[in-house]
Amino acid sequence: MTLAVKLSLGCIADDYTGASDLANTLTRCGLRTVQTIGVPRDDLALPEVDAVVVSLKSRSIEAGLAVARSRAAEKWLRGRGASHVLFKICSTFDSTDAGNIGPVMDALRADSGDTIVLVTPAFPQTGRTVYQGNLFVGSVPLNESPLKDHPLNPMHDSNLVRVLARQSRTKVGLVDLAVLSRGVDAVRARLADLASRGIGAAVVDAVFDPDLETIGKVALDHRVSVGASGIGLGLARALVTSGKARANAADAMSDAPVGGPAACLAGSCSQATLGQIANAERVMPVLHLDPDRVVAGKEEGLRALAWAKQRLEQGPVLIASSSTPDQVAALQARYGRDAAGHAIEQAMADIAEGLVRSGLRRLVVAGGETSGAVVDRLGIPGFLVGAEIAAGVPVLRAVGDKQGDMLLALKSGNFGGPEFFSDALKLMR
Ligand code: ADP
């Protein structure tokens, strides 16, 4: 571990799952990537990596706070030598007129001294395309997609040039597909033209994956860009083809075995997770928590911890709170949804903490919120992203010295195949 690592790419993500998705995308492109939880301490020791993704929770908070946190993240990344910083937003833009993308972009642009910033949430392989500045989700414009009814950030305008201009202090222009298809020099010329007219941000069309590569190459001329995992892919490919980062270093980096006891925790009640738990019953001891007793107090967690400790020497175990939708609804009716969820998440965090204290080195967690509660409790500052267990679910190696060498897999509800728990443990050696 060393402090003196010069990053090829720094990223600031406005939410945790988006950060994981980006970190996973960069790793799959061959960049050695660490995802941090929040802005790291100045002295965080990192292995030699190409990219760091700082995960913030700044998508839907007050704009001033989002700007301050993003600038702190940028400062940390620049301090580690990042010459380019990507502000990672959602591929559905996910930001109302009062939203934070424009203000954060303005601040990062001012800090970096860039005259113009490339902006695109496009990620064609996941159905997000931008044409004439309009964002499409699959075959429909953003404002006709389910995002029009998003509970926090309803999107009523698919034209990102307009949306961003309403949020930003700078004028916003467009690099359209016709220009993009003529290649990097044409894009550079268009950007120079826009910048000469005082335009400080350019939404860039992208309809096919190679469009992202063109955008990535041009973006590397600049100090800041804004976009989703798609532009992350473009930047990563540009870094690799230009020789600024070496491809395929990621797997070699994170493959050293950790060994030691292993356990799985499931707090997700998704259909996929329920099936994965049923399959795990055939290959490892499984303890089903009594959710009423979890809500009632700490006893049930302690019982589970004692149960696990007795068995860990013999092999992995699984502790699950997961119930069927009817049972979940009944529990929520008795205690309230938030109180029930919170109590179970904290019980899972208690169990994880107890297991790690008694020497656990490999931990699989099913459930997005459950994973968040566990990671917060363990105080893990960040992860090196490793091999993929299932689409979007990589093996993670904890960085930072407090918890020692440790592997984790964090899966949100519907991810992973039917044998997810065994699949994860096979790769987490
Ligand atoms: P997912 O990724 O599937 O959404 P999460 O962990 O994000 O999973 O959310 C599951 C939520 O359900 C958590 O708040 C968890 O504490 C809660 N939960 C877990 N088991 C039960 C249960 N038996 N009854 C009610 N809520 C539960």
Side-chain angles (χ1 to χ4, degrees):
M1 297 277 179
T2 168
L3 280 175
V5 184
K6 194 171 179 315
L7 297 176
S8 303
L9 181 63
C11 306
I12 304 164
D14 68 353
D15 83 339
Y16 284 9
T17 46
S20 307
D21 180 43
L22 174 62
N24 194 42
T25 300
L26 299 178
T27 305
R28 308 277 81 83
C29 291
L31 301 192
R32 297 163 299 180
T33 304
V34 159
Q35 176 189 355
T36 70
I37 309 300
V39 181
R41 287 175 19 181
D42 281 341
D43 63 353
L44 175 70
L46 285 182
E48 201 179 316
V49 289
D50 302 300
V52 169
V53 182
V54 175
S55 329
L56 301 180
K57 268 190 193 163
S58 57
R59 182 169 299 166
S60 306
I61 63 177
E62 192 266 315
L65 208 53
V67 167
R69 291 189 184 153
S70 304
R71 292 184 72 199
E74 186 203 16
K75 190 161 171 259
W76 188 92
L77 291 163
R78 300 282 187 209
R80 296 295 173 113
S83 49
H84 188 88
V85 170
L86 165 65
F87 174 42
K88 156 73 173 74
I89 59 169
C90 184
S91 66
T92 52
F93 217 73
D94 223 2
S95 187
T96 60
D97 288 352
N100 298 339
I101 296 174
V104 172
M105 176 188 77
D106 289 343
L108 298 183
R109 183 171 80 98
D111 286 351
S112 70
D114 272 354
T115 48
I116 189 161
V117 180
L118 282 77
V119 181
T120 188
F123 200 1
Q125 58 183 250
T126 61
R128 312 292 192 256
T129 55
V130 179
Y131 181 64
Q132 297 298 343
N134 290 277
L135 176 58
F136 289 79
V137 177
S139 59
V140 294
L142 180 66
N143 63 323
E144 292 174 25
S145 78
L147 277 301
K148 71 183 192 308
D149 303 316
H150 189 283
L152 297 176
N153 300 314
M155 300 304 295
H156 298 304
D157 188 355
S158 66
N159 186 312
L160 300 183
V161 176
R162 285 195 303 246
V163 174
L164 191 59
R166 287 196 292 265
Q167 289 188 351
S168 171
R169 286 197 306 267
T170 184
K171 286 194 272 182
V172 181
L174 172 70
V175 177
D176 66 17
L177 194 67
V179 171
L180 196 81
S181 66
R182 295 208 302 276
V184 290
D185 290 337
V187 176
R188 285 181 179 130
R190 174 59 59 90
L191 288 170
D193 172 49
L194 293 174
S196 73
R197 290 190 272 134
I199 293 172
V203 172
V204 189
D205 281 353
V207 174
F208 303 107
D209 268 9
D211 298 337
L212 299 172
E213 295 178 22
T214 306
I215 294 171
K217 279 183 198 149
V218 178
L220 282 183
D221 301 344
H222 301 248
R223 304 249 303 151
V224 174
S225 56
V226 176
S229 292
I231 193 170
L233 180 143
L235 284 161
R237 291 204 179 147
L239 284 166
V240 169
T241 50
S242 67
K244 290 182 186 147
R246 243 177 341 120
N248 295 326
D251 289 353
M253 266 287 301
S254 45
D255 260 4
V258 162
C264 309
L265 300 176
S268 162
C269 300
S270 72
Q271 214 176 357
T273 304
L274 294 174
Q276 290 157 349
I277 295 168
N279 288 338
E281 307 246 17
R282 288 191 267 107
V283 290
M284 67 183 86
V286 177
L287 177 71
H288 292 274
L289 295 171
D290 177 335
D292 282 286
R293 292 190 54 186
V294 172
V295 179
K298 296 271 181 196
E299 287 297 308
E300 182 70 350
L302 291 171
R303 178 179 79 93
L305 191 55
W307 174 90
K309 280 187 187 172
Q310 277 167 10
R311 288 166 178 77
L312 280 178
E313 290 296 313
Q314 285 86 55
V317 300
L318 167 62
I319 297 171
S321 68
S322 320
S323 316
T324 59
D326 289 352
Q327 292 166 323
V328 170
L331 192 85
Q332 289 175 340
R334 284 198 287 284
Y335 304 104
R337 194 178 66 180
D338 290 349
H342 182 75
I344 295 172
E345 285 163 29
Q346 288 309 308
M348 287 298 189
D350 289 343
I351 296 167
E353 190 179 22
L355 289 171
V356 170
R357 278 216 184 112
S358 56
L360 190 89
R361 309 259 47 99
R362 297 176 288 151
L363 180 62
V364 182
V365 188
E369 293 299 327
T370 310
S371 296
V374 167
V375 167
D376 282 351
R377 180 68 67 80
L378 296 180
I380 297 172
F383 306 103
L384 181 64
V385 181
E388 220 170 14
I389 301 159
V393 192
V395 176
L396 302 171
R397 182 179 291 259
V399 299
D401 290 325
K402 192 175 147 222
Q403 70 292 320
D405 231 1
M406 182 169 182
L407 297 181
L408 292 102
L410 308 173
K411 163 193 109 81
S412 43
N414 279 315
F415 283 53
E419 306 293 339
F420 175 76
F421 291 107
S422 329
D423 292 347
L425 291 167
K426 257 182 235 150
L427 284 181
M428 297 165 69
R429 293 174 301 117

